[in-house]
């Protein structure tokens, strides 16, 4: 592994003189256009991020929001806030421009996503007298079309990956082009981005299905289903270069970022600098990125993305994102610069604040930075998106080396209408090794309850040997799937703390020494009180654990934990509520003290203990199920999240096999296939194409008689888990 050391500065300095003409200007005499007020045409964490810098610059901010975002943090962040109405109104460019003018704004900042790379929108802003805080609309137009952008890059001497970028979109013709290129190939929307509208076809037999799926997602996400076909590199890295340009021909590279850790072609970890990258290649990447910016007359912040072939050490232009990137904070960490402030300065007509030599020196001195995206999703179900209310949220301690950019606080709802990113955790350190350790420690402090997240998965990434060594590629998760998805054992103390947490909470709430509810029984009437609990694990095949608590005196307990391969007794254990946190307890076991947070959400329990999250279910006694009249729903398949039905893949009366696709749904702008959990006969398709469904809505009913004959008479409530995979 090539070490990260200060000696990079010497090697980089060799290239500075050669490329100086790309990063300096001949004493420009800037004519600035002061920006006094700005409309932020975005939502969530990026709207808050832009607003913070704008306020620091003395710029008045106007925010916009939709009905689902009415109580969101970005909507509440400014007294000048306008409701656009419908959930999709962030894409209503003409309406947003009218709002900006009505509010007396000088400028408009598009953030990222939505209209940020819409050349027509950028053009209309300028026509209406608004300063568009982004590149010229012609540059957006040129780089927004992947086919045209590759033609421009080839002319500029930037290497491009072999592929077909033509206008003939006949599926059979595209299949023929794919065969010429050679499988595997990638099909992707020419106006796409963010991993949407992209599919990998490994063989000719699956090409047409992958093409149609990519086209469908392209239409839904970008309103365009034109595709290009490119050679798929088997062991690629995703390396991108942050560039910045001013109105005087000055262009600089603010270092590169490695964004190879991805799922569904979307990034989850980004770092700067890129690990294990030879200095000569690094400088060549910077040089080509600056050439790309110059080729389209670029201004402002942009990112030139490259595919790097691990096998040959070659790199190829992939696309240019003509906006600020989600992962810009890692570049801010290694340069010490506020990139949003640079955007405002360049848009107002100022020259670049630093030249290439100064930036190179900064990067050599400031070590490493890694960003982890905290998503509402379930990695154990193929990263299926989730949504819901954040009923409990605890974040890591903020410091000079730990930063969080978030759009949500406890009590907010993560909507299924938009991307499911809850926050970005950015950690920096003197070396990559130290930074990974600090990232892991910060992730251990994170506590989220109310929806699924990828936090536990990110922790496992931090401990993955090849990641620690810097041996990364875009297929890393698939390559290391056995290591990253191995079930973790649960310590007996976790079950003990879960039971104690429930009991202590009940007693504190009711002011009693003991509380009686459906979970567990109260036995005896003397000073000695006994409670029994049954917990189910959240694994694909839940295991049952019994915990018996005997309270012998105030705060003193004897505990018996029993389950598969576990029988553990703890006597005379002191357990006290934590006065600083109403959901935390402190328990003195024989060999150690354990601090635990226990959050109850109906019958679900979430236990945070020593940096680990454990999800359990309190098993409801059978007498209580009968009293409530719970209905057997074992012969149905349910919607795992709020969603829109795109199409049914089967017909009523069809016999289906386990894992056969049943329904394709869309949630958070992503397509998901709902598969059959067992063999069966489809009795009823409850919803048709276009229907909007809530989480838990029945999608498919199976033939009841056939189902029970196959699986036996079912007497307990048993909701089948839906297996889903990305199309």
């Amino acid at each position: 592994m090539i070490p990260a050391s200060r000696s990079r500065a010497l090697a980089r300095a060799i290239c500075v003189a050669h490329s100086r003409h790309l990063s300096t200007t001949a004493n420009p005499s800037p004519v600035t256009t002061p920006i006094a007020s700005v409309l932020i045409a975005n939502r969530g964490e990026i709207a808050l991020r832009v607003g913070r810098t704008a306020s620091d610059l003395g710029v008045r901010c106007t925010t916009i929001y939709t009905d689902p975002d009415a109580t969101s943090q970005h909507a509440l962040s400014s007294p000048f806030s306008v409701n656009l109405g419908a959930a999709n109104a962030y894409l209503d460019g003409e309406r947003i421009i009218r709002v900006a003018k009505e509010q007396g704004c000088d400028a408009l900042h598009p953030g990222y996503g939505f209209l940020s790379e819409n050349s027509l929108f950028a053009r209309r802003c300028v026509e209406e007298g608004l300063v568009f805080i982004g590149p010229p609309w012609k540059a957006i137009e040129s780089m927004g079309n992947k086919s045209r952008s590759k033609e421009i890059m080839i002319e500029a001497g930037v290497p491009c990956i072999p592929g077909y970028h033509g206008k003939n979109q006949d599926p059979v013709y595209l299949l023929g082009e794919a065969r010429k290129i050679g499988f595997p190939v990638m099909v992707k929307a020419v106006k796409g981005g963010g991993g949407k509208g992209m599919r990998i076809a490994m063989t000719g037999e699956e090409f047409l299905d992958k093409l149609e799926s990519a086209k469908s997602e392209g239409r839904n996400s970008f309103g365009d289903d034109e595709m290009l076909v490119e050679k798929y590199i088997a062991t690629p890295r995703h390396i991108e270069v942050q560039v910045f340009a001013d109105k005087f021909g000055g262009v600089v590279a603010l270092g590169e970022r490695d964004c190879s850790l991805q799922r569904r072609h979307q990034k989850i970890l980004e770092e700067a600098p890129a690990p294990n990258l030879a200095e000569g290649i690094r400088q060549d990447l910077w040089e080509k990125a600056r050439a790309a910016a110059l080729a389209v007359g670029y201004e402002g912040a942009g990112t030139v993305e490259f595919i790097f072939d691990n096998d040959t050490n070659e790199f190829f232009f992939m696309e240019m994102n003509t906006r600020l990137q989600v992962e810009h904070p890692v570049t801010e960490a290694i340069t010490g610069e506020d990139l949003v402030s640079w955007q405002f300065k360049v848009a107002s007509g100022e020259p670049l604040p630093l030249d290439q030599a100064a930036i190179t020196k900064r990067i050599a001195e400031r070590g490493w930075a890694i960003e982890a995206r905290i998503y509402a999703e379930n990695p154990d179900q193929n990263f299926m998106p989730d949504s819901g209310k954040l009923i409990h949220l605890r974040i890591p301690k903020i410091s000079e080396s730990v930063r969080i950019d978030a759009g949500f606080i406890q009590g907010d709802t993560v909507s299924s209408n938009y991307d499911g990113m809850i926050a970005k955790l950015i950690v920096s350190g003197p070396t990559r090794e130290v930074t990974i350790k600090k990232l892991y420690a910060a992730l251990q402090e994170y506590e989220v309850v109310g929806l699924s997240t990828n936090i536990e998965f990110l922790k496992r990434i931090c401990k993955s040997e090849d990641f620690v060594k810097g041996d990364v590629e875009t297929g890393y998760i698939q390559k290391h799937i056995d290591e990253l998805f191995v079930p973790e054992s649960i310590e007996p103390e976790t079950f003990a703390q879960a039971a104690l947490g429930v009991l202590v909470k009940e007693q504190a709430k009711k002011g009693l020494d003991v509380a009686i509810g459906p979970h567990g029984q109260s036995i005896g009437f003397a000073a000695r009180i006994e409670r029994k609990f049954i917990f189910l694990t959240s694994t694909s095949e839940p295991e049952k654990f019994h915990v018996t608590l005997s309270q012998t005196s105030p705060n003193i307990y004897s505990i018996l934990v029993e389950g598969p391969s576990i029988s553990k007794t703890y006597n005379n254990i002191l357990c006290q509520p934590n006065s600083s946190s109403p959901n935390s307890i402190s328990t003195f076991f024989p060999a150690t003290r354990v601090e635990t947070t226990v959050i109850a959400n109906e019958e679900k329990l979430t236990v945070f203990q020593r940096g680990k999250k454990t999800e359990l279910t309190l098993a409801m006694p059978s007498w209580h199920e009968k009293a409530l009249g719970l209905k057997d729903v074992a012969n149905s398949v349910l919607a795992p999240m709020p969603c829109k039905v795109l199409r049914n893949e089967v017909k009523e009366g069809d016999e289906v096999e386990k894992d056969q696709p049943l329904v394709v749904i869309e949630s958070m702008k992503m397509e998901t296939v709902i598969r059959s959990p067992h063999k069966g006969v489809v009795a009823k398709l409850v919803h048709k194409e276009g229907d909007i469904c809530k989480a838990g809505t029945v999608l498919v009913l199976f033939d009841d008689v056939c189902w029970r004959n196959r699986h036996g008479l079912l007497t307990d409530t048993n909701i089948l888990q839906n297996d889903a995979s990305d199309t």
Side-chain angles (χ1 to χ4, degrees), residues 436-450:
I436 292 173
K437 290 178 179 178
K438 292 176 71 173
L439 175 62
Y440 181 75
L443 288 167
Q444 287 185 303
E445 295 181 41
Y446 238 120
E447 296 178 3
V448 180
V449 180

Side-chain angles (χ1 to χ4, degrees), residues 310-592:
N310 270 344
D311 295 330
T312 65
N313 284 338
E314 295 177 293
F315 63 85
F316 305 95
F317 172 83
M318 183 164 55
E319 63 183 359
M320 184 174 187
N321 289 318
T322 53
R323 54 172 166 81
L324 194 69
Q325 290 279 86
V326 175
E327 58 271 20
H328 75 273
V330 294
T331 298
E332 293 183 324
I334 65 166
T335 61
E337 292 295 309
D338 182 335
L339 298 192
V340 176
S341 177
W342 278 41
Q343 284 187 297
F344 274 90
K345 291 176 180 178
V346 168
S348 65
E350 296 183 30
L352 294 173
L354 295 175
D355 64 13
Q356 191 66 64
I359 292 168
T360 301
K361 184 174 183 295
R362 288 272 191 96
I363 293 174
E365 295 171 347
R366 293 182 64 88
W368 223 274
I370 304 177
E371 174 183 284
R373 302 191 190 188
I374 310 300
Y375 273 107
E377 63 184 18
N378 189 338
D380 293 328
Q381 293 189 17
N382 197 34
F383 299 94
M384 181 181 291
D386 202 359
S387 58
K389 184 176 181 179
L390 294 168
I391 66 173
H392 172 78
L393 176 63
R394 177 177 177 265
I395 65 173
K397 184 178 179 181
I398 306 300
S399 67
E400 288 187 2
S401 60
V402 177
R403 165 181 168 181
I404 294 177
D405 285 6
F408 300 94
I409 63 172
Q410 182 170 305
D412 286 350
T413 296
V414 178
S415 170
S416 61
N417 291 294
Y418 307 111
D419 183 79
M421 188 171 70
I422 300 171
K424 301 182 305 194
L425 172 62
I426 307 99
V427 177
S428 57
T431 65
R432 187 174 187 271
E433 181 182 14
V434 170
T435 305
I436 292 173
K437 290 178 179 178
K438 292 176 71 173
L439 175 62
Y440 181 75
L443 288 167
Q444 287 185 303
E445 295 181 41
Y446 238 120
E447 296 178 3
V448 180
V449 180
L451 39 68
S452 302
T453 76
N454 63 340
I455 293 173
E456 298 304 303
F457 178 77
L458 292 170
K459 292 177 189 175
R460 294 195 287 273
I461 289 284
C462 290
K463 292 294 184 179
S464 179
E465 183 179 351
D466 283 345
F467 174 73
V468 173
K469 292 192 297 185
D471 294 339
V472 294
E473 58 180 278
T474 58
Y476 190 93
I477 293 174
Q478 290 74 24
K479 184 176 180 179
H480 295 79
I481 192 167
D482 292 337
E483 170 194 358
L484 296 175
F485 290 93
V486 62
E488 294 190 30
S489 60
I490 304 176
E491 299 297 322
E493 289 85 357
T494 301
F495 294 105
Q497 288 290 80
L500 287 168
V502 172
L503 183 59
V504 169
K505 184 75 171 180
E506 288 179 353
Q507 292 177 342
K509 184 177 181 180
K510 298 186 178 182
L512 303 174
D513 290 333
V514 66
I516 301 175
H519 303 292
Q521 298 175 333
S522 298
I523 303 174
F525 302 94
R528 182 182 180 89
I529 298 168
E530 185 171 290
R531 289 289 302 273
K532 292 184 178 181
F533 297 86
I534 301 174
F535 295 109
L536 299 177
T537 62
S538 60
T539 52
S540 57
E541 297 183 2
E543 294 182 316
K544 186 179 293 187
F545 290 81
H546 297 256
V547 179
T548 302
L549 298 181
S550 297
Q551 185 174 8
T552 57
S553 61
N555 299 327
I556 301 297
Y557 301 86
S558 290
I559 309 169
L560 173 62
V561 179
E562 296 177 294
S565 304
I566 290 180
S567 182
K568 186 76 172 179
T569 301
Y570 306 95
N571 292 315
N572 298 320
I573 301 301
L574 172 64
C575 175
Q576 296 175 318
N578 189 329
S579 58
S580 62
S581 175
N583 297 307
S584 298
I585 56 174
S586 181
T587 304
F588 292 82
F589 287 90
T592 185

Side-chain angles (χ1 to χ4, degrees), residues 93-94 97-98 101 105-106 108 118-132 135-138 141:
E94 291 298 324
I97 289 172
R98 287 199 305 271
K101 295 183 69 176
C105 296
D106 304 317
L108 184 145
N118 186 306
S119 60
L120 178 59
F121 178 66
R123 181 177 183 175
R124 289 288 297 124
C125 286
V126 175
E127 290 173 348
E128 293 296 328
L130 294 169
V131 175
F132 183 76
W137 68 266
K138 288 186 177 180
E141 185 177 65

